[in-house]
Tab-separated table of all heavy atoms in Angstrom:
chain	number	residue	atom	x	y	z
A	1	GLN	N	-7.672	5.601	-6.509
A	1	GLN	CA	-7.091	5.676	-7.854
A	1	GLN	C	-5.571	5.792	-7.864
A	1	GLN	O	-4.996	6.283	-8.841
A	1	GLN	CB	-7.708	6.848	-8.634
A	1	GLN	CG	-9.219	6.756	-8.768
A	1	GLN	CD	-9.813	7.949	-9.484
A	1	GLN	OE1	-9.171	8.986	-9.641
A	1	GLN	NE2	-11.044	7.828	-9.936
A	2	ASN	N	-4.920	5.336	-6.798
A	2	ASN	CA	-3.457	5.394	-6.842
A	2	ASN	C	-2.759	4.164	-6.281
A	2	ASN	O	-1.521	4.150	-6.204
A	2	ASN	CB	-2.927	6.667	-6.157
A	2	ASN	CG	-3.509	6.874	-4.779
A	2	ASN	OD1	-3.510	5.958	-3.960
A	2	ASN	ND2	-4.024	8.076	-4.515
A	3	TYR	N	-3.494	3.120	-5.928
A	3	TYR	CA	-2.808	1.891	-5.505
A	3	TYR	C	-1.941	1.383	-6.652
A	3	TYR	O	-0.816	0.914	-6.436
A	3	TYR	CB	-3.825	0.827	-5.096
A	3	TYR	CG	-3.213	-0.435	-4.535
A	3	TYR	CD1	-2.987	-0.578	-3.167
A	3	TYR	CD2	-2.860	-1.494	-5.366
A	3	TYR	CE1	-2.427	-1.742	-2.639
A	3	TYR	CE2	-2.298	-2.656	-4.860
A	3	TYR	CZ	-2.084	-2.779	-3.498
A	3	TYR	OH	-1.518	-3.935	-2.987
A	4	HIS	N	-2.437	1.500	-7.879
A	4	HIS	CA	-1.671	1.009	-9.036
A	4	HIS	C	-0.353	1.757	-9.197
A	4	HIS	O	0.628	1.191	-9.678
A	4	HIS	CB	-2.502	1.131	-10.324
A	4	HIS	CG	-2.687	2.531	-10.807
A	4	HIS	ND1	-3.726	3.335	-10.398
A	4	HIS	CD2	-1.943	3.291	-11.672
A	4	HIS	CE1	-3.636	4.510	-10.989
A	4	HIS	NE2	-2.566	4.525	-11.759
A	5	ASP	N	-0.322	3.041	-8.785
A	5	ASP	CA	0.897	3.841	-8.947
A	5	ASP	C	2.080	3.262	-8.184
A	5	ASP	O	3.233	3.392	-8.618
A	5	ASP	CB	0.665	5.278	-8.468
A	5	ASP	CG	-0.191	6.099	-9.418
A	5	ASP	OD1	-0.041	5.932	-10.641
A	5	ASP	OD2	-1.012	6.896	-8.937
A	6	TYR	N	1.809	2.651	-7.045
A	6	TYR	CA	2.896	2.120	-6.225
A	6	TYR	C	3.661	0.994	-6.928
A	6	TYR	O	4.784	0.669	-6.544
A	6	TYR	CB	2.352	1.640	-4.881
A	6	TYR	CG	2.044	2.767	-3.924
A	6	TYR	CD1	0.835	3.458	-3.973
A	6	TYR	CD2	2.972	3.168	-2.967
A	6	TYR	CE1	0.567	4.505	-3.103
A	6	TYR	CE2	2.710	4.216	-2.093
A	6	TYR	CZ	1.508	4.876	-2.172
A	6	TYR	OH	1.234	5.921	-1.311
A	7	HIS	N	3.075	0.427	-7.979
A	7	HIS	CA	3.746	-0.639	-8.732
A	7	HIS	C	4.650	-0.102	-9.837
A	7	HIS	O	5.418	-0.865	-10.432
A	7	HIS	CB	2.701	-1.560	-9.387
A	7	HIS	CG	1.886	-2.347	-8.419
A	7	HIS	ND1	0.807	-1.825	-7.756
A	7	HIS	CD2	2.002	-3.632	-7.999
A	7	HIS	CE1	0.274	-2.750	-6.981
A	7	HIS	NE2	0.983	-3.844	-7.098
A	8	ASP	N	4.540	1.195	-10.122
A	8	ASP	CA	5.212	1.741	-11.298
A	8	ASP	C	6.656	2.157	-11.022
A	8	ASP	O	7.023	2.475	-9.882
A	8	ASP	CB	4.413	2.929	-11.841
A	8	ASP	CG	3.078	2.486	-12.421
A	8	ASP	OD1	2.935	1.292	-12.739
A	8	ASP	OD2	2.178	3.334	-12.547
A	9	PRO	N	7.487	2.180	-12.074
A	9	PRO	CA	8.908	2.492	-11.910
A	9	PRO	C	9.180	3.803	-11.188
A	9	PRO	O	10.113	3.898	-10.387
A	9	PRO	CB	9.418	2.523	-13.353
A	9	PRO	CG	8.513	1.584	-14.088
A	9	PRO	CD	7.170	1.791	-13.470
A	10	PHE	N	8.381	4.847	-11.453
A	10	PHE	CA	8.670	6.144	-10.845
A	10	PHE	C	8.494	6.129	-9.331
A	10	PHE	O	9.042	6.980	-8.624
A	10	PHE	CB	7.809	7.242	-11.475
A	10	PHE	CG	6.411	7.356	-10.915
A	10	PHE	CD1	6.122	8.256	-9.903
A	10	PHE	CD2	5.389	6.562	-11.417
A	10	PHE	CE1	4.840	8.372	-9.389
A	10	PHE	CE2	4.098	6.677	-10.926
A	10	PHE	CZ	3.827	7.579	-9.901
A	11	MET	N	7.779	5.151	-8.807
A	11	MET	CA	7.601	5.030	-7.357
A	11	MET	C	8.615	4.075	-6.746
A	11	MET	O	8.602	3.842	-5.541
A	11	MET	CB	6.192	4.548	-7.041
A	11	MET	CG	5.107	5.552	-7.346
A	11	MET	SD	4.986	6.881	-6.131
A	11	MET	CE	3.652	6.284	-5.106
A	12	GLY	N	9.502	3.532	-7.534
A	12	GLY	CA	10.513	2.636	-6.989
A	12	GLY	C	10.948	1.528	-7.949
A	12	GLY	O	12.090	1.457	-8.307
A	13	PRO	N	10.021	0.644	-8.356
A	13	PRO	CA	8.677	0.458	-7.815
A	13	PRO	C	8.731	-0.052	-6.382
A	13	PRO	O	9.766	-0.538	-5.916
A	13	PRO	CB	8.066	-0.594	-8.748
A	13	PRO	CG	9.242	-1.394	-9.221
A	13	PRO	CD	10.373	-0.428	-9.330
A	14	VAL	N	7.635	0.061	-5.696
A	14	VAL	CA	7.565	-0.312	-4.292
A	14	VAL	C	7.393	-1.824	-4.147
A	14	VAL	O	6.688	-2.457	-4.941
A	14	VAL	CB	6.376	0.416	-3.622
A	14	VAL	CG1	6.145	-0.075	-2.210
A	14	VAL	CG2	6.617	1.921	-3.635
A	15	ASP	N	8.045	-2.384	-3.150
A	15	ASP	CA	7.816	-3.782	-2.783
A	15	ASP	C	6.446	-3.838	-2.110
A	15	ASP	O	6.292	-3.427	-0.959
A	15	ASP	CB	8.906	-4.261	-1.826
A	15	ASP	CG	8.591	-5.607	-1.213
A	15	ASP	OD1	7.779	-6.363	-1.792
A	15	ASP	OD2	9.122	-5.898	-0.120
A	16	MET	N	5.442	-4.316	-2.842
A	16	MET	CA	4.079	-4.236	-2.339
A	16	MET	C	3.819	-5.163	-1.154
A	16	MET	O	2.940	-4.885	-0.324
A	16	MET	CB	3.086	-4.521	-3.461
A	16	MET	CG	3.090	-3.454	-4.544
A	16	MET	SD	2.892	-1.747	-3.914
A	16	MET	CE	1.206	-1.793	-3.298
A	17	ALA	N	4.567	-6.236	-1.047
A	17	ALA	CA	4.410	-7.097	0.123
A	17	ALA	C	4.784	-6.323	1.384
A	17	ALA	O	4.063	-6.352	2.397
A	17	ALA	CB	5.268	-8.343	-0.019
A	18	GLY	N	5.898	-5.585	1.303
A	18	GLY	CA	6.318	-4.782	2.440
A	18	GLY	C	5.403	-3.604	2.676
A	18	GLY	O	5.095	-3.250	3.819
A	19	PHE	N	4.927	-2.987	1.585
A	19	PHE	CA	4.047	-1.829	1.704
A	19	PHE	C	2.725	-2.203	2.378
A	19	PHE	O	2.274	-1.528	3.316
A	19	PHE	CB	3.784	-1.236	0.323
A	19	PHE	CG	2.826	-0.081	0.330
A	19	PHE	CD1	3.261	1.195	0.639
A	19	PHE	CD2	1.481	-0.270	0.040
A	19	PHE	CE1	2.376	2.271	0.659
A	19	PHE	CE2	0.585	0.785	0.061
A	19	PHE	CZ	1.036	2.061	0.368
A	20	ASP	N	2.091	-3.258	1.893
A	20	ASP	CA	0.807	-3.661	2.469
A	20	ASP	C	0.955	-4.099	3.926
A	20	ASP	O	0.041	-3.908	4.736
A	20	ASP	CB	0.182	-4.781	1.637
A	20	ASP	CG	-0.355	-4.271	0.308
A	20	ASP	OD1	-0.859	-3.134	0.268
A	20	ASP	OD2	-0.271	-5.003	-0.695
A	21	LYS	N	2.125	-4.647	4.260
A	21	LYS	CA	2.373	-5.004	5.666
A	21	LYS	C	2.482	-3.731	6.516
A	21	LYS	O	2.028	-3.696	7.673
A	21	LYS	CB	3.645	-5.828	5.789
A	21	LYS	CG	3.933	-6.346	7.197
A	21	LYS	CD	2.802	-7.247	7.687
A	21	LYS	CE	3.192	-7.998	8.963
A	21	LYS	NZ	3.456	-7.082	10.088
A	22	ARG	N	3.050	-2.670	5.953
A	22	ARG	CA	3.127	-1.397	6.681
A	22	ARG	C	1.736	-0.799	6.882
A	22	ARG	O	1.455	-0.201	7.922
A	22	ARG	CB	4.037	-0.417	5.927
A	22	ARG	CG	5.531	-0.733	6.079
A	22	ARG	CD	6.391	0.221	5.276
A	22	ARG	NE	7.801	0.016	5.561
A	22	ARG	CZ	8.475	0.606	6.545
A	22	ARG	NH1	7.849	1.476	7.331
A	22	ARG	NH2	9.743	0.361	6.745
A	23	VAL	N	0.876	-0.940	5.884
A	23	VAL	CA	-0.512	-0.498	6.046
A	23	VAL	C	-1.157	-1.280	7.183
A	23	VAL	O	-1.823	-0.712	8.053
A	23	VAL	CB	-1.310	-0.694	4.737
A	23	VAL	CG1	-2.796	-0.396	4.964
A	23	VAL	CG2	-0.760	0.193	3.626
A	24	TYR	N	-0.952	-2.576	7.167
A	24	TYR	CA	-1.496	-3.460	8.200
A	24	TYR	C	-1.018	-3.027	9.589
A	24	TYR	O	-1.805	-2.911	10.527
A	24	TYR	CB	-1.052	-4.891	7.907
A	24	TYR	CG	-1.622	-5.954	8.816
A	24	TYR	CD1	-2.790	-6.633	8.476
A	24	TYR	CD2	-0.983	-6.296	10.007
A	24	TYR	CE1	-3.306	-7.626	9.302
A	24	TYR	CE2	-1.493	-7.271	10.836
A	24	TYR	CZ	-2.658	-7.933	10.477
A	24	TYR	OH	-3.164	-8.908	11.309
A	25	ASP	N	0.268	-2.772	9.709
A	25	ASP	CA	0.844	-2.407	11.009
A	25	ASP	C	0.364	-1.031	11.481
A	25	ASP	O	0.302	-0.774	12.687
A	25	ASP	CB	2.373	-2.405	10.926
A	25	ASP	CG	2.945	-3.811	10.771
A	25	ASP	OD1	2.228	-4.785	11.063
A	25	ASP	OD2	4.111	-3.925	10.328
A	26	ALA	N	0.003	-0.140	10.534
A	26	ALA	CA	-0.453	1.196	10.905
A	26	ALA	C	-1.855	1.187	11.494
A	26	ALA	O	-2.230	2.101	12.236
A	26	ALA	CB	-0.412	2.117	9.691
A	27	LEU	N	-2.614	0.157	11.181
A	27	LEU	CA	-4.015	0.101	11.591
A	27	LEU	C	-4.211	-0.482	12.982
A	27	LEU	O	-3.465	-1.361	13.425
A	27	LEU	CB	-4.819	-0.740	10.595
A	27	LEU	CG	-5.130	-0.082	9.249
A	27	LEU	CD1	-5.579	-1.134	8.240
A	27	LEU	CD2	-6.210	0.986	9.418
A	28	LYS	N	-5.241	-0.015	13.629
A	28	LYS	CA	-5.681	-0.627	14.883
A	28	LYS	C	-6.271	-2.006	14.569
A	28	LYS	O	-6.731	-2.246	13.449
A	28	LYS	CB	-6.774	0.221	15.540
A	28	LYS	CG	-6.377	1.630	15.915
A	28	LYS	CD	-7.588	2.384	16.452
A	28	LYS	CE	-7.254	3.830	16.795
A	28	LYS	NZ	-8.446	4.580	17.260
A	29	PRO	N	-6.290	-2.924	15.534
A	29	PRO	CA	-7.017	-4.178	15.315
A	29	PRO	C	-8.466	-3.875	14.931
A	29	PRO	O	-9.125	-3.046	15.547
A	29	PRO	CB	-6.932	-4.867	16.673
A	29	PRO	CG	-5.670	-4.323	17.279
A	29	PRO	CD	-5.613	-2.888	16.844
A	30	GLY	N	-8.950	-4.498	13.872
A	30	GLY	CA	-10.290	-4.231	13.382
A	30	GLY	C	-10.360	-3.078	12.397
A	30	GLY	O	-11.431	-2.806	11.837
A	31	GLY	N	-9.229	-2.392	12.166
A	31	GLY	CA	-9.200	-1.250	11.252
A	31	GLY	C	-9.370	-1.663	9.803
A	31	GLY	O	-9.211	-2.839	9.441
A	32	LEU	N	-9.681	-0.684	8.957
A	32	LEU	CA	-10.003	-0.952	7.561
A	32	LEU	C	-8.991	-0.347	6.593
A	32	LEU	O	-8.440	0.728	6.839
A	32	LEU	CB	-11.381	-0.372	7.223
A	32	LEU	CG	-12.581	-0.930	7.983
A	32	LEU	CD1	-13.851	-0.197	7.555
A	32	LEU	CD2	-12.719	-2.425	7.749
A	33	PHE	N	-8.789	-1.041	5.493
A	33	PHE	CA	-8.011	-0.551	4.355
A	33	PHE	C	-8.970	-0.556	3.162
A	33	PHE	O	-9.429	-1.621	2.728
A	33	PHE	CB	-6.820	-1.472	4.097
A	33	PHE	CG	-5.889	-1.038	2.994
A	33	PHE	CD1	-5.797	0.278	2.579
A	33	PHE	CD2	-5.063	-1.974	2.362
A	33	PHE	CE1	-4.931	0.678	1.574
A	33	PHE	CE2	-4.181	-1.597	1.358
A	33	PHE	CZ	-4.123	-0.271	0.962
A	34	VAL	N	-9.311	0.628	2.651
A	34	VAL	CA	-10.237	0.746	1.530
A	34	VAL	C	-9.465	1.180	0.292
A	34	VAL	O	-8.748	2.192	0.319
A	34	VAL	CB	-11.371	1.743	1.843
A	34	VAL	CG1	-12.217	2.024	0.606
A	34	VAL	CG2	-12.251	1.206	2.976
A	35	VAL	N	-9.612	0.403	-0.781
A	35	VAL	CA	-8.887	0.644	-2.026
A	35	VAL	C	-9.877	0.865	-3.163
A	35	VAL	O	-10.729	0.009	-3.423
A	35	VAL	CB	-7.970	-0.548	-2.376
A	35	VAL	CG1	-7.230	-0.281	-3.692
A	35	VAL	CG2	-6.991	-0.834	-1.252
């Protein structure tokens, strides 16, 4: 219930392309991102 928050002005808003790439880089190969 907070993925949407990252798009909002109070969070930056965050560059979601860069953010999701950071999630990707944090994960092991085969790892999961659950939203």
Side-chain angles (χ1 to χ4, degrees):
Q1 302 177 344
N2 50 50
Y3 185 91
H4 72 271
D5 286 322
Y6 284 84
H7 293 81
D8 292 340
F10 82 95
M11 291 284 262
V14 172
D15 169 22
M16 294 308 293
F19 177 82
D20 287 325
K21 185 60 169 63
R22 284 178 173 272
V23 173
Y24 185 93
D25 290 342
L27 285 164
K28 299 176 182 177
L32 298 178
F33 183 23
V34 172
V35 179

